[in-house]
Amino acid sequence: MRFIDPHHDRWHAAVGEDRPLPTSDPGANCLLTLEQWHAVRAHWPRDGVAGVVVPNDSDIESLEPDLPRLALIALQFPKWVDGRAYSQARLLRSRLRYRGEVRATGEVLVDMLPLLHRTGFDAVQLRPDQSLESSQRALRFFASHYQGDVRDTPTLFARRAA
């Protein structure tokens, strides 16, 4: 799991209120909103690097045709008690076979990290009041789980039988 420092992130928001949408800078590591991506995807270079911020109430499967063109999908947790982004990540990894970066953003707390990891997130941007040291410890709490997950799909019993 990578921990993203928002002050040293290679991805940056593509536009502000006073700037036009980019359409041709493949090396810019642009992080677009879903609406911005839909506005520029027809003109975005095939070899361009783009990332998309997806709200947790969006249909993640609608991005399927664009997945090969996206290096990053940032899924939002607007409240720590709203877990719809867990389902989006699991769909991206297990059903849609997305191999790019899946990042958790928003109200991301230390307590969420084990489940974030199990559902397919590989990067997180913690809420500013959360401790990096506690987060790293949280990922080591459990050596294994009975259930399978997106990284280790067989159950513990099936793994032991094999």
Side-chain angles (χ1 to χ4, degrees):
M1 181 78 66
R2 282 188 332 107
F3 295 93
I4 306 301
D5 177 352
H7 303 294
H8 298 98
D9 188 7
R10 69 182 185 102
W11 291 93
H12 60 276
V15 298
E17 293 293 321
D18 57 343
R19 294 187 299 180
L21 283 172
T23 58
S24 63
D25 189 358
N29 289 335
C30 292
L31 187 56
L32 305 164
T33 66
L34 189 58
E35 294 79 20
Q36 290 169 337
W37 172 248
H38 288 302
V40 299
R41 73 181 179 192
H43 306 290
W44 198 262
R46 288 285 170 198
D47 60 345
V49 178
V52 176
V53 178
V54 180
N56 70 347
D57 59 353
S58 295
D59 176 13
I60 200 69
E61 291 178 302
S62 69
L63 275 178
E64 185 173 14
D66 298 326
L67 292 180
R69 300 173 64 195
L70 299 174
L72 165 68
I73 297 178
L75 301 176
Q76 297 177 317
F77 286 88
K79 298 178 183 179
W80 67 269
V81 295
D82 186 344
R84 291 178 282 182
Y86 292 119
S87 299
Q88 288 175 317
R90 183 165 180 89
L91 286 171
L92 280 169
R93 295 294 192 204
S94 61
R95 186 177 298 167
L96 302 176
R97 305 284 186 227
Y98 179 66
R99 297 293 171 237
E101 180 178 319
V102 178
R103 180 184 295 186
T105 63
E107 292 289 309
V108 181
L109 307 180
V110 170
D111 296 351
M112 299 165 64
L113 288 169
L115 188 55
L116 288 170
H117 182 72
R118 295 189 72 216
T119 55
F121 288 92
D122 50 8
V124 296
Q125 184 174 330
L126 295 168
R127 195 171 75 180
D129 65 335
Q130 300 298 290
S131 160
L132 179 60
E133 294 78 24
S134 297
S135 300
Q136 292 167 332
R137 254 191 336 267
L139 289 171
R140 297 187 303 266
F141 282 159
F142 302 102
S144 64
H145 300 276
Y146 288 114
Q147 311 92 343
D149 59 36
V150 297
R151 288 176 169 71
D152 198 4
T153 54
T155 64
L156 177 65
F157 303 111
R159 290 190 303 264
R160 286 184 178 166

